[in-house]
Amino acid sequence: MELRHLNTFKVVAEVKGFTRAAELLGYAQSSVTAQIQALEEELGVQLFNRLGKRIVLTEAGTQLLPFVVEIQKLVETAKADLLQAQVPQGTLTIGAPESLCAFRLPPLLQEFRRQFPNVKIVLRPGLCWQLRQQIRSGELDLAFLLDEEKSEGNDLHAEVLVPEPIKLIAPPQHPLTARKAVYPTDLKEETLFLTEVGCTYRTMFETQLNAHGIYLDQQLEFGSLEAIKQCVITGIGLAQLPEVVVRQELADNRLVALPWAGTPVHVHTILLYHKSKWVSPAMRAFLEITRDHFVPTTKKTAR
């Protein structure tokens, strides 16, 4: 049963004529007649008595008319609800490593909340490998990774947003700050504070040190970046952290970035979501604001 046939039936019933209904609907009269006939055949009843030039509803037509009116109201309600659904609302669940949660995302989330106050944001910290799993399982709508620029597989969409320099940091009074270059072998006797196992830049750093015969099994592992920073500031040891995490402390001379002569650790902030996921209005708005936020450094890639 086609909605246009029902609408034509209602107009014919209201104006009591095929010719006038055709004029109002912008159809040829033959088209109006064909639609009413198709509706009558589908329902198996006659809807109009054709009494000369007069058109009068049959009993069946009289019974059908209020249903058609109600159907049209429901259709309009559905259209209005769907239109409302295009306004960003609902909940977005976003994952990110602690460093990005604390130092990259706050201004982005603030701007999104200012523009779209009806969208609830749930932010879940995690390691990169965990976030990938949660994107694939559907637990997260979006994830920000601090990782290498690499292929994410055929099921995930990745956008490289900004490079994240990794710095080897020390307290200002540390002897290595006087060096023009610090090599991996210079760290053999140093106490190093490490982020959690599974952290991308920790793994890359350890791999580089292992290649020089330096193993960090007995070093100190912390789950808190703030704790690592404070321990380095107090002179207990060294650490390797993203520049964005220690930018203020470097500017205040509470920490010093050592002149690392080893292989630079290259990671980026990367935006990730599942290619098969429906991009809701809220998610689309967040993607647009994220890209604008990182302009001009955004490089969009779909892998």
Side-chain angles (χ1 to χ4, degrees):
M1 189 180 301
E2 295 188 33
L3 290 175
R4 65 190 182 98
H5 291 176
L6 295 176
N7 183 57
T8 297
F9 162 76
K10 179 173 175 287
V11 174
V12 172
E14 288 174 343
V15 300
K16 298 179 175 61
F18 282 32
T19 302
R20 179 59 178 153
E23 292 173 355
L24 292 174
L25 293 169
Y27 294 149
Q29 183 173 332
S30 58
S31 178
V32 171
T33 301
Q35 289 185 39
I36 296 301
Q37 288 175 344
L39 186 59
E40 289 177 328
E41 288 176 8
E42 184 174 1
L43 296 174
V45 296
Q46 184 173 325
L47 299 174
F48 294 98
N49 286 313
R50 293 138 176 105
L51 306 175
K53 294 184 178 181
R54 294 179 58 216
I55 300 296
V56 180
L57 282 170
T58 63
E59 184 178 348
T62 301
Q63 290 177 338
L64 178 63
L65 186 57
F67 287 107
V68 172
V69 172
E70 189 62 29
I71 288 170
Q72 289 186 327
K73 287 181 180 178
L74 289 172
V75 169
E76 291 304 314
T77 300
K79 288 180 179 178
D81 286 349
L82 290 173
L83 183 62
Q84 179 63 26
Q86 296 307 305
V87 177
Q89 56 188 327
T91 300
L92 278 180
T93 305
I94 301 170
E98 180 199 352
S99 54
L100 298 183
C101 287
F103 297 97
R104 283 290 185 199
L105 297 189
L108 173 61
L109 297 177
Q110 182 183 38
E111 176 61 20
F112 183 79
R113 288 288 295 158
R114 185 187 68 79
Q115 293 191 37
F116 304 102
N118 293 327
V119 179
K120 177 182 178 183
I121 296 290
V122 177
L123 188 59
R124 294 181 180 173
L127 297 174
C128 291
W129 66 269
Q130 295 171 327
L131 299 174
R132 283 189 179 87
Q133 286 185 350
Q134 290 168 355
I135 286 288
R136 286 191 164 101
S137 68
E139 297 173 65
L140 296 176
D141 296 309
L142 296 158
F144 291 87
L145 309 183
L146 196 60
D147 208 341
E148 299 176 85
E149 183 179 359
K150 59 186 179 182
S151 173
E152 294 291 348
N154 294 328
D155 58 337
L156 301 182
H157 177 92
E159 297 184 19
V160 178
L161 298 177
V162 64
E164 298 288 1
I166 304 297
K167 299 295 184 180
L168 180 63
I169 56 171
Q173 68 274 17
H174 196 282
L176 288 179
T177 59
R179 299 280 191 92
K180 292 184 178 180
V182 174
Y183 295 88
T185 51
D186 294 327
L187 304 182
K188 190 172 184 179
E189 304 300 326
E190 296 293 337
T191 297
L192 292 172
F193 292 97
L194 303 175
T195 52
E196 296 175 278
V197 172
C199 172
T200 301
Y201 56 86
R202 168 185 168 165
T203 301
M204 296 171 70
F205 186 50
E206 283 188 291
T207 299
Q208 187 175 167
L209 294 182
N210 292 348
H212 290 81
I214 302 170
Y215 298 91
L216 305 179
D217 296 339
Q218 303 302 317
Q219 301 303 319
L220 300 174
E221 181 180 309
F222 281 26
S224 166
L225 297 180
E226 187 60 33
I228 291 175
K229 284 198 296 185
Q230 293 305 317
C231 286
V232 176
I233 288 172
T234 57
I236 302 175
L238 312 178
Q240 193 187 50
L241 293 174
E243 182 183 51
V244 68
V245 173
V246 295
R247 186 170 291 158
Q248 189 59 55
E249 289 79 6
L250 292 174
D252 295 341
N253 294 317
R254 288 182 289 157
L255 290 173
V256 174
L258 296 177
W260 180 242
T263 303
V265 175
H266 292 295
V267 296
H268 300 77
T269 290
I270 296 172
L271 175 63
L272 196 70
Y273 60 92
H274 203 290
K275 286 184 178 179
S276 299
K277 185 172 184 61
W278 175 61
V279 179
S280 67
M283 183 170 164
R284 184 178 298 109
F286 190 88
L287 288 171
E288 291 173 356
I289 287 180
T290 297
R291 291 161 184 156
D292 290 343
H293 180 79
F294 285 99
V295 167
T297 54
T298 301
K299 182 172 71 176
K300 301 173 186 175
T301 57
R303 307 187 185 91

